[in-house]
Amino acid sequence: MASHIRLAFSTNAYLKCSFAEAVRRLAAIGYCGVEIMADVPHAWPAYFLEEHKQAIREALAHHRLAISNVNAFMMNAVNDHRQRYWHPSWIEPDPHYRRVRIDHTCRALVLAQELGARCITTEPGGPVEQGGSWSAALKVFLESLKPAIETAEKTGVLLLIEPEPGLLIETADQFLEFIQHVRSPMVGLNFDIGHAYCVGDDPPEAIRRLAPFIRHFHLEDIAATRVHHHLVPGEGAIDFRATFDAIEEIGYDGWVTIELYPYVDNPDSAARTALKRVQAILSAE
């Protein structure tokens, strides 16, 4: 069952550690890849010297770890009082503040190229203002993406949109509406299994529907309430066996990154338990 899948872990659970320390721990646990957080304290692109980039390369090489993805979704460095992860968004009312997201994403694409990463992930448009029009917000999102798409095409790094509960693009239907307006092959989908479950999509069915656009997966469990809170696999209600059957069915052979950022107080335990449980599912007959 889906034995060709490669498992990585996101460094966004290691906010209390340096990148080098996070890599050391994840390698010891048994991961073969890591998702690099393009944010403080690991790799904030706006102020990242060449010596810092080289330190990342050396840490990865020393521990024989590959990069699954560069996570450009979170923006803790800006520390917006409303929400540290998706503000500033692609659809901020203030075009100057919106530009902060655009420039960050372009820098993250260049950083990914310099580190040898294949793709980056970004937020799917931010929250629509109360009383605002979804279609109008989509137009702003598409316009804001243009500089990043141009940078993706120049760098050869995929720009992956990650649907998220509460933001502009939440569901499979909304992603399909969005992607029909995009002409670049450098724009794809980061399919977050937990997010799909949160918004009422059936993950296996959605995977089959969105297969032509999926370039990377995030994995976490979600409680039966469908409240958006990332849980260690096996502690929620998602049917991962059926989900991996769908992943195998579409012929996906890339990275699945386990993303457990709420576990900053004990990331090793979460990473270790998650790896053990997901490997058990993958090895099951």
Side-chain angles (χ1 to χ4, degrees):
M1 170 187 246
S3 58
H4 52 278
I5 292 296
R6 292 172 289 169
L7 296 176
F9 196 85
S10 180
T11 67
N12 62 15
Y14 284 86
L15 287 178
K16 297 183 179 181
C17 300
S18 68
F19 179 79
E21 178 64 10
V23 164
R24 183 190 70 78
R25 293 187 186 189
L26 289 169
I29 289 168
Y31 284 91
C32 59
V34 293
E35 176 184 84
I36 299 175
M37 185 175 66
D39 197 357
V40 292
H42 296 157
W44 178 240
Y47 301 102
F48 211 54
L49 302 177
E50 180 54 40
E51 63 196 67
H52 299 145
K53 299 170 191 175
Q54 186 57 27
I56 283 183
R57 296 185 191 103
E58 290 174 359
L60 292 169
H62 178 73
H63 295 288
R64 298 181 180 180
L65 290 174
I67 303 171
S68 63
N69 175 57
V70 171
N71 188 325
F73 195 121
M74 305 169 96
M75 295 186 75
N76 292 284
V78 175
N79 200 27
D80 189 292
H81 69 279
R82 294 170 295 174
Q83 220 286 346
R84 295 176 300 150
Y85 300 157
W86 58 64
H87 287 295
S89 81
W90 294 99
I91 59 172
E92 295 288 344
D94 181 348
H96 302 291
Y97 198 39
R98 193 186 313 153
R99 190 76 209 188
V100 176
R101 170 63 72 175
I102 296 169
D103 291 346
H104 168 66
T105 307
C106 291
R107 292 188 188 107
L109 286 160
V110 173
L111 176 63
Q113 179 192 40
E114 293 172 337
L115 296 177
R118 177 173 175 265
C119 55
I120 77 164
T121 50
T122 188
E123 57 98 17
V128 180
E129 286 192 303
Q130 188 172 3
S133 161
W134 190 89
S135 59
L138 179 63
K139 291 179 181 178
V140 174
F141 182 38
L142 289 164
E143 185 65 27
S144 299
L145 278 175
K146 287 180 179 179
I149 294 173
E150 182 179 347
T151 304
E153 291 171 345
K154 288 179 179 177
T155 58
V157 175
L158 292 166
L159 175 62
L160 306 185
I161 309 302
E162 179 180 341
E164 168 101 2
L167 302 191
L168 177 67
I169 298 173
E170 301 180 276
T171 67
D173 285 343
Q174 288 173 334
F175 181 83
L176 289 170
E177 169 66 21
F178 155 77
I179 201 67
Q180 71 172 319
H181 300 287
V182 179
R183 299 292 175 257
S184 175
M186 299 307 296
V187 179
L189 170 65
N190 178 55
F191 189 100
D192 189 298
I193 295 165
H195 292 178
Y197 183 79
C198 283
V199 300
D201 283 344
D202 176 63
E205 179 186 357
I207 287 168
R208 295 182 181 100
R209 290 182 65 200
L210 299 173
F213 311 105
I214 296 172
R215 301 292 179 266
H216 181 259
F217 281 91
H218 272 168
L219 183 151
E220 71 280 342
D221 215 341
I222 297 291
T225 59
R226 300 186 188 260
V227 171
H228 183 206
H229 179 74
H230 289 211
L231 298 172
V232 174
E235 297 178 5
I238 294 177
D239 185 345
F240 286 109
R241 185 178 296 273
T243 300
F244 277 113
D245 281 344
I247 292 173
E248 182 177 39
E249 183 182 314
I250 68 170
Y252 180 81
D253 61 357
W255 290 99
V256 172
T257 296
I258 298 169
E259 189 189 28
L260 297 175
Y261 59 84
Y263 293 83
V264 292
D265 290 329
N266 196 352
D268 288 353
S269 177
R272 186 178 296 108
T273 302
L275 182 62
K276 180 180 179 181
R277 290 177 180 172
V278 175
Q279 284 179 330
I281 296 169
L282 291 174
S283 62
E285 293 294 336

